[in-house]
Amino acid sequence: MKTRFAPDRGLSSRMLITSFLLGLLYVGFVALLIALTKSAVLAVVIAGGALFVQYWFSDRIALYAMHGRIVTPEEAPELHGTIDRLCALADMPKPRVAIADVDLPNAFATGRNPKNAVVCVTTGIMRRLDQDELEGVLSHELSHVAHRDVAVMTIASFLGVLAGLITRFGLYGGLGRNRDQNTAVIVLTIIAVSIVVYAISFLLTRALSRYRELAADRAGAMLTGRPSALASALTKISGDIARIPSRDLRQAEAFNAFFFAPAISGKAGASLSSLFSTHPSLEKRLDRLGVLSRELGEQA
């Protein structure tokens, strides 16, 4: 699907490489499942079933977890109107539109492809941003849909989840019931490899997530022609997120990779390393938007 969002070859190549590497990990993981369950059929059913659910129902799962609901044009005319204009400008299919009734100011896009995508905004972000700023955020989210990186991130995150589940199963299930030394060694080996797979998957998805946010910032700002509006939205949201109760931020952290801006609990700068971050730093995003604003000759 071709749209008027600026293409990003760097993003496309990174998605391809990440998908290939995760595919190799996935094949290896199925082999581990076969060793753990001693049944190739059961292993394929477990892995395939989990992937099927995550791929086909990721939008519903995300909406349910964030207390979001699909809204009609009659229920949210201004929001629908903005998305209608942006989709017409980008020459792309209109995704379903949802609102999550939470104070956390954020937005996210999900779905397996552009025809089955959902763009969700929170009531918190709608209260805080003006029309131009909200348009910048929505353009950013629509670019994720157009670039198809939402689907890649959904599949990429699946492997890490599966690795974590197998690690728990091995620790609390198989290891506790098996007293045979050889079996215990096998289970420990599977757990160790699962941890390695989880770590590799974690780092790959984080690296892709950071790049795709910069790509969406650029593509979204180029579509609207107002990088300053997106920069203003980023500044507002990042400042207001710091004032959200830590309990609410911890509940939302699982969706950081999909959010417009990360929900970070605790004090700013508490992260051990940017290597583990789902998003580039606010300073880097603002710097990139500033450069783009000068390139486009945007008026202050």
Side-chain angles (χ1 to χ4, degrees), residues 156-168:
S157 63
F158 157 77
L159 187 59
V161 171
L162 185 60
L165 289 176
I166 288 206
T167 300
R168 291 183 182 181

Side-chain angles (χ1 to χ4, degrees), residues 166-176 187-188 191:
I166 288 206
T167 300
R168 291 183 182 181
F169 177 78
L171 285 173
Y172 302 114
L175 191 60
V187 173
L188 285 173
I191 292 173

Side-chain angles (χ1 to χ4, degrees), residues 19-32:
S19 299
F20 176 74
L21 293 175
L22 287 172
L24 290 179
L25 284 174
Y26 187 70
V27 170
F29 226 63
V30 171
L32 283 175

Side-chain angles (χ1 to χ4, degrees), residues 12 19 22 27 33 38 47 128 135 146 150 180 186 189 196 198 225 257 288:
S12 298
S19 299
L22 287 172
V27 170
L33 277 174
K38 300 188 185 304
R128 289 170 171 86
E135 186 177 82
V150 172
D180 179 77
I186 293 173
T189 301
V196 172
Y198 176 82
R288 293 285 184 92

Side-chain angles (χ1 to χ4, degrees), residues 14 26 47 112-113 122 151 167-168 176 227 259 263 277:
R14 283 169 172 79
Y26 187 70
R112 62 185 182 275
N113 57 46
T122 67
T167 300
R168 291 183 182 181
F259 279 149
S277 175

Side-chain angles (χ1 to χ4, degrees), residues 4-295:
R4 294 196 180 98
F5 277 107
D8 192 304
R9 293 182 179 179
L11 177 61
S12 298
S13 62
R14 283 169 172 79
M15 288 195 297
L16 181 62
I17 292 170
T18 300
S19 299
F20 176 74
L21 293 175
L22 287 172
L24 290 179
L25 284 174
Y26 187 70
V27 170
F29 226 63
V30 171
L32 283 175
L33 277 174
I34 292 173
L36 183 62
T37 62
K38 300 188 185 304
S39 169
V41 174
L42 180 59
V44 171
V45 169
I46 292 174
L51 180 58
F52 175 84
V53 169
Q54 181 140 353
Y55 181 71
W56 285 89
F57 299 102
S58 59
D59 52 344
R60 300 180 192 180
I61 294 171
L63 286 179
Y64 176 79
M66 284 300 298
H67 309 290
R69 64 182 182 89
I70 302 296
V71 293
T72 64
E74 292 73 26
E75 292 174 299
E78 293 185 5
L79 179 60
H80 269 273
T82 301
I83 292 179
D84 282 335
R85 291 193 299 274
L86 289 172
C87 287
L89 185 62
D91 192 21
M92 66 179 289
K94 181 183 177 182
R96 288 171 293 163
V97 180
I99 294 177
D101 188 16
V102 295
D103 188 48
L104 177 70
N106 233 313
F108 64 91
T110 184
R112 62 185 182 275
N113 57 46
K115 292 183 179 180
N116 295 277
V118 179
V119 171
C120 181
V121 297
T122 67
T123 51
I125 200 173
M126 294 174 68
R127 285 197 301 268
R128 289 170 171 86
L129 301 187
D130 63 29
Q131 179 59 33
D132 288 344
E133 291 165 343
L134 184 59
E135 186 177 82
V137 171
L138 291 172
S139 183
H140 169 107
E141 295 304 328
L142 288 172
S143 77
H144 282 313
V145 175
H147 288 153
R148 297 178 182 267
D149 56 79
V150 172
V152 174
M153 283 298 297
T154 297
I155 297 173
S157 63
F158 157 77
L159 187 59
V161 171
L162 185 60
L165 289 176
I166 288 206
T167 300
R168 291 183 182 181
F169 177 78
L171 285 173
Y172 302 114
L175 191 60
R177 291 196 305 267
N178 293 294
R179 297 181 181 180
D180 179 77
Q181 185 174 0
N182 291 333
T183 302
V185 170
I186 293 173
V187 173
L188 285 173
T189 301
I190 292 173
I191 292 173
V193 174
S194 297
I195 293 172
V196 172
V197 169
Y198 176 82
I200 295 173
S201 174
F202 180 90
L203 294 175
L204 286 173
T205 53
R206 289 302 188 272
L208 177 60
S209 179
R210 289 191 298 273
Y211 188 90
R212 84 183 191 112
E213 292 303 328
L214 291 174
D217 282 348
R218 180 175 178 83
M222 288 184 70
L223 183 73
T224 62
R226 291 190 296 272
S228 61
L230 184 56
S232 177
L234 269 170
T235 303
K236 275 188 183 180
I237 291 170
S238 299
D240 286 350
I241 282 178
R243 291 189 282 272
I244 298 293
S246 295
R247 176 178 58 84
D248 296 336
L249 294 180
R250 285 193 297 270
Q251 291 177 352
E253 275 187 308
F255 293 92
N256 268 354
F258 297 94
F259 279 149
F260 171 69
I264 303 174
S265 62
K267 296 181 179 179
S271 176
L272 293 177
S273 171
S274 60
L275 182 66
F276 303 110
S277 175
T278 57
H279 289 64
S281 67
L282 174 62
E283 292 75 15
K284 186 171 185 177
R285 295 177 76 177
L286 293 178
D287 286 345
R288 293 285 184 92
L289 288 171
V291 171
L292 180 59
S293 182
R294 291 190 291 273
E295 290 177 357

